[in-house]
Amino acid sequence: MNGITIAPKEKSPSGVLEKSGSSSIDVAEAQGFDEKATKKLVRKIDWHLIPFLSLIYLLCFLDRTNIGNARLDHLEKDLKLHGLQYNDCLAILFPFYIAAEIPSNIMMKRIRPSIWLTFIMVFWSVAMICQGFVKNYSGLLATRVFLGIFEGGLFPGVNYYITQWYPRHECGFRMALFFSAATLAGAFGGILARGISEMNGVGGIAAWAWIFILEGLLSILVSFTAYWVINDYPSTAKFLSDHERVEVERRIAADHGNLANHFAYKYVFQAIKDWKIYIHMLICMAGFCPIYSFSLFLPTIIKLMGYTANEAQLMSVPPYVCACVFTIVASWFADRVKQRGVFMLGFQVVAIAGFAMLAGTDRPRIQYAGTVLAAIGIYPQIPLGLAWNGNNIGGNMKRGTGIAMQVMGGNCGGIIASYVYITRDGPRFIKGHSLLIGIIGMAFFLTLFMTCYLRFENSRRDKVERETGSSYTDDEKREQMEYADNAPWFRYTV
C-alpha cells in the first residue's frame, strides 16, 4: 500500500548494529543542552518567530475576509451588485489563491523566506488598498484576483517554514498559535469595521471603502519591516549562538531521521503520487469550507437574526475569541500526547452540533450559541490537520509540496463557501447550514479512516522490525533518505 518496500537490515553477529558516531543524547549532553536548556532554546525561537508570523497572517486573513464586514456598510448597493455577483467576487479569489500555493512553496525553498514573504505581503497590501477605490463589479473582481495571487503563498509557506525550525511534535502548537491569528482577525475585523463605519463620507469615500483602504495601509506598513524581522533558517539566524544553531539543526535531523532535505523535483513528484496527501486535501477542504463560510457571512447571519448592522459587527467578536482559545489549547494538548486524529474527530462533532443548532431553530439566542459552537468546532481542525499531514511526510521538499497541496485542497473549500449562503435562502439559511453539516460529516469519516490506517501501518512496521530484529544506524538511515516516509523505520503520527 505504501508503494515502496525496503528490506530491513539484519543485526550484526553481536546482536546490535554498531553506532556510527555518538548518539543524539550524547551530542546534546556534550553541548550542554539538557531538558531545561532545550526548553529555553525553544522559547527563544518561539519569541523570535511566532509573534510576527501571527501578525502577518492576522493581516492576511483580515484583508481576505473583511469584505464580509464591508457588505453591511452598503458595498453591494454602491457597486450595484445584484444576484450572485457578490458571491462571484468572493469565489474569484480562490482559484488564483490555489494556483499560487505550490509555486510559492518552491520559491520559499529556492530563495530566502524573508525576501519571498516580504514580496508577496507588499503586493497583496497594494491590491487591498486598490479594492477601496473600485467603482463597479468588474473592478472588485479584478482586485480580488490579485489579492488571491499574492496571498496564496503565505499560509502554506509559513506552515512549511515552521517545520524547518521545530521537530514534528512541536509543530502543531506553533501552527495553532499562527493560525489563531485567523480567529483574532475575525474578532478585530468586527471591532474595526464598527469603528471605521463612523468615517462614512469622509473625503467623499464610503465606509466600506475605508475598511479596505485603512486595513490595506496597515498591512503595507507591517510589510516594510518583514525583511528585517523574518529569520530565514536556523543556520543563518542571528539571534542564535553557534552552539544553538547546531542544536536546532541536530534536533530537526534527529526527528526526521536524516531524510532528504535538498532541492530536487523528484520529491515534488513523490508528494503528487502519495495518496495519503489527497485524503488530507479533502479533510482540509471540509475544514476550510465552513471557516470561509463563517468568516465571510457571519456578520450577515447575525444581522438577519434581527440585530442592527452595528450590533452584528460587535456580536461577531465572541465566537472568534472562543475559537482562538480552543484552537491554541487543543493543539497544545495534541502536541503533548503526540496525537492529532482523535482531537479532530471531537471538534468535528462539536462543529456539526453548532450548525445543527443554527439550522434547527429560529430562536436568536440558540442560533447565536450555535455560531459559538460552530466556531469552536471548525477553527482548531486546520492547525491540527496541517500538523498531522506535515508530521507524516518525510523530507523537506516533499513536505513543502505536500503541505502546499493540502492547503490547495483546503482553499477549494473557499470556492464552495462563496455560494453556501445565498441571499434568497435567508434569513434562516437552512440549506447552507445543512450543506456544511454534510461536508463536516465527510471530514469525520475520512479522519476516522486515516487514524485507523496510520495506527495499522505503524503496527505493521513494528511487527516487521520485531520479526527481523532490524535496527538502523544514522549512516544506514542516510542511505535510505530518498524513501521519505516510506522508509521502514519511519513512524506516523496518529
Side-chain angles (χ1 to χ4, degrees), residues 16 53 56 64 81 101 120 130 159 161 181-182 213 237 242 272 293 325 359 421 444 447:
V16 182
L53 293 177
I56 60 177
R64 194 183 324 154
L81 304 183
E101 288 172 341
I120 62 176
C130 291
N159 278 283
Y161 175 71
I213 294 167
D242 290 340
I272 292 171
S293 300
V325 172
Y421 295 116
F444 179 89
T447 303

Side-chain angles (χ1 to χ4, degrees), residues 261-301:
N261 293 323
H262 59 281
F263 183 90
Y265 281 107
K266 65 181 176 181
Y267 302 122
V268 175
F269 292 112
Q270 276 189 8
I272 292 171
K273 292 186 289 185
D274 190 338
W275 65 269
K276 298 186 296 297
I277 294 175
Y278 291 94
I279 299 293
H280 281 290
M281 289 172 67
L282 288 172
I283 294 172
C284 194
M285 183 200 75
F288 266 119
C289 182
I291 283 177
Y292 281 126
S293 300
F294 197 84
S295 59
L296 293 169
F297 291 96
L298 181 61
T300 299
I301 292 170

Side-chain angles (χ1 to χ4, degrees), residues 24 87 120 165 183 207-208 245 249 356 388:
S24 297
N87 303 80
I120 62 176
W165 287 83
T183 63
W208 62 264
R245 292 189 194 103
E249 293 185 315
W388 197 18

Side-chain angles (χ1 to χ4, degrees), residues 105-121:
N105 265 22
I106 292 174
M107 291 300 293
M108 282 278 288
K109 184 69 176 176
R110 293 296 296 268
I111 66 174
R112 293 160 50 193
S114 58
I115 295 175
W116 182 247
L117 293 179
T118 299
F119 171 80
I120 62 176
M121 192 175 184

Side-chain angles (χ1 to χ4, degrees), residues 21 44 67 88 91 101 104 116-117 138 142-144 236 252 280 309 311 325 362 387 400 409 415 427 439 462 472:
K44 186 176 184 179
I67 191 170
D88 294 339
E101 288 172 341
S104 180
W116 182 247
L117 293 179
S138 299
T143 54
R144 298 287 290 179
T236 59
I252 302 300
H280 281 290
E311 287 172 340
V325 172
D362 59 358
I415 301 173
I439 289 173
D462 288 341
Y472 298 87

Side-chain angles (χ1 to χ4, degrees), residues 2 45 49 102 130 142 173 199 317-318 351 434 467:
N2 291 307
I45 296 171
L49 265 62
I102 289 181
C130 291
F173 180 55
M199 295 182 63
V317 175
S434 300
E467 290 176 349

